[in-house]
Each structure stands twice: as structure tokens, then as C-alpha cells.
Amino acid sequence: MDAEDLSSVPGYEGHIEYLGDKESDCTLRITDLRLSDSAGYRFRLITSRGKFAGSSVSLTVTDAVLEMDPTSVSERENVTLTCRTKCTLDRIKAYSWYKNGQPIPNSNTSSPVYILFSVSSEDTGRYSCAVEGHEDLPSAEETLTVTYGPKNTSVSVSPSGEIVEGSSVTLACSSNANPPVDKYTWYKKNVTSPKASEQRYSITIISCEDSGEYYCEASNIKGTDTSIPVHINVMSVFSWVPVVGVGAVLTAGALLLTIYCYMKRRSTGGSDATTDTHSVHHDPNSDTYTGLNMKTWSPDYDTLENVRDSPSTQPLSIRLDAEPSDYEK
């Protein structure tokens, strides 16, 4: 068979690239290898003195194909991967397995069959295989889909922190699931009836009665998962008003008392002694006291008993406003 000039073969545009310098380097690059690329290749030089051809180089492209059974499974099921090839090389001694383009650790086998046991959601991805000696030519990728019920369901509260009565609060439910969660249900602990059925639950004007523990339930066709309850504590807006009110009353009372005392002192001349002198007036008819006759007093009577028993003591009336001569009567 006569050699063909690849630059003129339909379908090779962009598939081959000449990297030589047309003098001493005749490098050729073939990208995206195909089975049809298996052939013998050689270069030919055309000069002013004639045409010169190099020796032929053989290229063999393997046809490794990955078969996956099944391609969609539920968690804890098994998946079988089979690597097939029509390669006519010597007996294949090992196969390599890849996930998302990276080698699967400890996955090299002498068998063309590789089994994924009891798969989980982490096994979802793209798989391929290659035969020993041709690891740079892996098979086309096959995608494994793992379906599972909701997991890692949790609740977030916005805004976080202290919640004041009359404000608004939004609770959001998140969950990992495949297929995605198709139903959310909100509950308040110790309340049998659901509170809402959307992924987000909002309380626009919250009250103290809304305090309590809330949780969500996420469901899809594979199962249901419930979040850990979150506690919402609503602070009453009136809880601090009595304290402020009492403080205001006491402050106002102290201020009024200070003003009253100041004004009274100004109206009385500003002296306590003056106030007492001008404000005390005794009624001579009522302020009468019984005392001892000072003329009959003797030092020998040093006790009240002696004074009482002494025949010389005479009762006498003393008036605060009386003249001195009145005391002799």
C-alpha cells in the first residue's frame, strides 16, 4: 500500500501537528488517538536533490473499553467494572482503574473485573481503566450515579443571637440527598401539628409564645432524615420597662425634694437657727411645768425620793414667758 500524505487526508486537520524544523527534526504529534490511527508511520524529506524517506515506525492503539453494571445504584449496593480490549499484544498481566482521572489507590488487578462493594454517596464519579504498559491510553469514562436518602440534615437561624419580641426570624433547613430533597416539614417540639412545609420557615412578628425548640424533616423517594432541634429564646420588650420606670420616679422625686428644700431655705432666710427662733411661740396658758421651790432646795436632798418626802418642797408653776418676779409667788 502506498504511503499517504496525512496533511491531505480528510479528517486529520487538527488531529496531527508537525513540530519539526524541516531540517534535522521531523517530530509529529497525534492528539486524541483513535483505533484507526494504528498504522506504520515514516517521514519523507523532499530536497532539491530528490526525495528521501525514513524507516517506518509502528503505532498500535489499544481499544480498552470500560463496562459498568449498573450505572445507577442505591447506597450499599455493588457495582461491577469490566475492562475489555481487542489488543493483540502479549497476555495482559495487570489492569489499572481510575476515578475522575486519578488512579484508585490499591486498585491494580490481574483480572479485568473490578467490583465496588456496598457503594456510598462518596463513590459517585467518572470511572475508566487501562491495560498494563498503556496507562497513558485509558478507556473512555463511564459515570456512576449513587442515589441515597437525606443525610446531614441541619437547621440555621437568621438572625443569630438574641431575638427580641416583635422582630422577624427565618429558619433554613439543609440536607444532602440524591435525588434532591422534595419535601421539607417544620415542627415545634411538644406540638403535634407541623408548622410549615417549605425549606425556609419565617416568623415575621415573633412573640414570647414562639419560644421553644424547632426542627425540620427532609424527605425524598429514598428516605427521610430529621435535624437536631435548635432552641429559640424570645426576649420580651417590656421586661426592662419596670426597672427603668422605678429609676425615673426615684430620680424625679429626689430632684423635686432638692428643689423644695432649696426654696424653703431661701424663703426663711437661709438659717436653721433663725428659723427656730422665729417659728417657736409658747402659749403662757398652756406651757406650764411643775418644779421645785428653789428657795427650799438643800444639797442634802440628793435623790428624788428625798425631794419627794421633804416637807419643805412646794409645787410651783413655771411659765416659759413669765417675768422673773412671778417665780417668787
Side-chain angles (χ1 to χ4, degrees), residues 73-75 120-121 124 146-151 176-179 220 222:
V73 295
S74 298
E75 283 191 311
S120 66
S121 57
T124 298
V146 180
T147 59
Y148 52 94
K151 59 176 62 177
N176 297 328
N178 186 29
N220 68 0
K222 292 295 181 177

Side-chain angles (χ1 to χ4, degrees), residues 3-16:
E4 294 181 289
D5 184 357
L6 294 181
S7 62
S8 62
V9 175
Y12 273 84
E13 301 86 353
H15 184 52
I16 61 171

Side-chain angles (χ1 to χ4, degrees), residues 133-150:
H134 298 275
E135 289 81 5
D136 57 335
L137 296 174
S139 67
E141 294 181 325
E142 288 288 338
T143 300
L144 173 63
T145 302
V146 180
T147 59
Y148 52 94

Side-chain angles (χ1 to χ4, degrees), residues 18 31 49 51 80 112 118 133 138 169 172 214 221-222 269 293 329:
Y18 180 71
T31 58
R49 296 183 180 183
K51 299 179 180 180
T80 300
S118 188
V169 175
Y214 292 80
I221 59 174
K222 292 295 181 177
N293 189 335
K329 296 180 181 180

Side-chain angles (χ1 to χ4, degrees), residues 124-169:
T124 298
R126 306 181 313 276
Y127 289 82
S128 60
C129 69
V131 296
E132 183 184 36
H134 298 275
E135 289 81 5
D136 57 335
L137 296 174
S139 67
E141 294 181 325
E142 288 288 338
T143 300
L144 173 63
T145 302
V146 180
T147 59
Y148 52 94
K151 59 176 62 177
N152 302 324
T153 305
S154 62
V155 173
S156 60
V157 181
S158 178
S160 59
E162 186 177 278
I163 300 173
V164 180
E165 189 175 24
S167 62
S168 61
V169 175

Side-chain angles (χ1 to χ4, degrees), residues 93-208:
K93 297 181 180 179
Y95 295 83
S96 301
W97 307 90
Y98 304 87
K99 177 185 177 184
N100 298 328
Q102 300 299 320
I104 299 176
N106 304 317
S107 66
N108 287 1
T109 63
S110 59
S111 169
V113 177
Y114 183 69
I115 299 177
L116 301 174
F117 293 97
S118 188
V119 298
S120 66
S121 57
E122 287 74 20
D123 291 315
T124 298
R126 306 181 313 276
Y127 289 82
S128 60
C129 69
V131 296
E132 183 184 36
H134 298 275
E135 289 81 5
D136 57 335
L137 296 174
S139 67
E141 294 181 325
E142 288 288 338
T143 300
L144 173 63
T145 302
V146 180
T147 59
Y148 52 94
K151 59 176 62 177
N152 302 324
T153 305
S154 62
V155 173
S156 60
V157 181
S158 178
S160 59
E162 186 177 278
I163 300 173
V164 180
E165 189 175 24
S167 62
S168 61
V169 175
T170 298
L171 289 75
C173 185
S174 62
S175 182
N176 297 328
N178 186 29
V181 174
D182 54 24
K183 182 181 180 182
Y184 293 93
T185 307
W186 288 95
Y187 294 94
K188 183 180 180 182
K189 200 169 182 179
N190 299 324
V191 178
T192 55
S193 59
K195 305 295 290 185
S197 58
E198 299 292 337
Q199 186 174 5
R200 293 180 179 272
Y201 172 43
S202 296
I203 306 175
T204 54
I205 304 177
I206 200 166
S207 65
C208 292

